[in-house]
Structure formats: structure tokens, C-alpha cells
Amino acid sequence: MPVLFISHGDCEKHVMLDHHPESPARLRAIHDAVQAREWGHSLVAVEAREIDDRCFGQVHPSEYVARLAALDPGEGIVRVDADTSLNRYSLRAARLAAGAAIQGVDAVMDDRAERAFCAVRPPGHHAESALPMGFCLFNNIALAAERALALGAERVAIFDFDVHHGNGTVEIFLERPEVMVCSSFQYPFYPGRFDDVSRDHIVLTPLDAGTSGAAFRAAIERDWLPAIERHRPDLILVSAGFDAHREDPLGGLALEDEDYLWVSQLLVDAAQRHCSGKLVSALEGGYHLDALARSTVAHLDALSA
Ligand SMILES: [Zn+2]
């Protein structure tokens, strides 16, 4: 079965302030690197579709969706927090990013694909149920989990290796133990929300600034492997942020390309053990264009193996 590469050109029309690190160049770097490789039939490009309003489910209340829609600035830019803003194309991009994650779930749950990667922006994991923040408007991976549950999955597990904590994903599923959330992140660091909660289904792995790939791998094996065996998910979802890379200008960790291949293989192996290989991944951060492109290719190497 194929691995889907879901994206849409309109995700590149969402532009925030001048010189913002979360820029359209990120997706262009990924597309260039993916197109430069020979993938055979293993990787199939699919155009994203916008999310259907019914799919917001319990993740984002309809008032929140309407509030964001009302922010549409027409010409110019409207800010929603210190480092997050919208232009006239942002809501379309956000609806495509969320829709891509849902398409990925639909395809793997329906046995039309084994795995999927969503090369989309804006990212999602900082968006809480009713709060846009940290470059994020809709929580794409949370919406993917909601979709999987609606399609009959009993237990879903989300793994987030972005350098920043996935506060939004934790907030959304804090009292929903059917969705396990495992997040590794630099600590202390942005965003400083929902990073000290205590629940059996919330697995937090704070990492000191400067943490190496070897120490990252040890922490992931210690925290994520037993969590996977405990939860026995029907579907594995990934918040794939590549800003814990040594070269990233925003993060302070020291992962290398090979560490992304390693953690991606670990998650594919877990998917093989528990859910017939089913895994859906969505892009989060990653702001050094070359490191982002190389790390994404490493991630796709694992997904398409
Ligand atoms: Zn990040």
C-alpha cells in the first residue's frame, strides 16, 4: 500500500510578518528535497482538501471556528498573538492543513494507504481548543485523532517530537484518556503551558537545552516505548516538528538528521506491532530550511520503508 504525501500549493500563500521564520519557504524546501529523490511507487502525492466543519467535533468549538473566520483581514495582516498573524489566505491554508490530516486518517483507516505525511502549514500543536497561538490556528493532529475516533478507533496515540511542547494537543485531550499524548520538548522553553500536568495518558519528556541525539534516544526509549505497549493504539499520529535539530535557529537541542530517521523508525515499528502499520504524520516546526528538508526526507524514508 502507498504512503501519501499530502500537500497543497495554497498553504504557501499564508504569510505572516516580514522575515517570520514560519514562512512559505519551508514548504518549498521540503517539496524541492522530496522531488530530488527517487521514491518509486512508495510515495504518492495527493492534493489536500479543506476540512469540513463537521470534523471540528470536540476539538474546536464552533464559536472558535467562527471567531477565526471573522478575523479574515482582507488586505493586510491581523495579529492573533505576539508572533501569530493572518493574511487573506491564512484561513484557507489552515483549513487545508487540518483537512490534510483528516484525509490522511481517512485513507489509512480505509486501507487505501498504509501511512501519510502532511506537508502543510500553518502548524497546529500549539493551538488549544479555543486559543490560537505560536504560529498555530487549528490543531491539525488533534483533529486527525478526533477523526480516527469518529471512524471507530478506540485508542489513538499522538507522538510529538517538536522542540516545543505540544500544549494545545495536551489541553484538548487532557480529560480524554482514549487519546494518549506523548511530547518531548526543550524545557524550560516556549510555550510554558500544560507542561506539568499529571495523567496516565499524558507522557511528558522535558529535555535540557543542549540535549544530544544519544540522550534524546535514551529518553524516548525510556518514556515512549512502555507508553505504547500500555496504550495499544489503533492508530499512531505524529506531530513532526524538526526544530530540535542542532542547526535550528529557534530551538536549543542538538538532534541530527539520523535522529529523525531513528525516532520515525521507532514509531513505524510501533505502528507495525499495534495497528497494521497505520501512521499519519503532520508537519509542525522546523526553521532551518536545509535541516528541515533533510530531516523531512529522513522521516519519509522511515515512513515509506
Ligand atoms: Zn516548534
Side-chain angles (χ1 to χ4, degrees), residues 125-126 162-164 243 285 287:
H125 72 154
H126 294 309
D162 191 279
V163 77
H164 304 99
D243 43 8
Y287 304 100

Side-chain angles (χ1 to χ4, degrees), residues 14-17 67-81 83-88 90-91 137:
H14 160 59
V15 180
M16 296 193 280
L17 302 169
R67 182 154 57 90
L68 278 190
L71 285 175
D72 190 341
E75 297 299 324
I77 273 176
V78 60
R79 282 175 183 254
V80 296
D81 78 0
D83 52 19
T84 311
S85 57
L86 287 78
N87 70 357
R88 62 188 306 178
S90 300
L91 276 168
L137 301 176

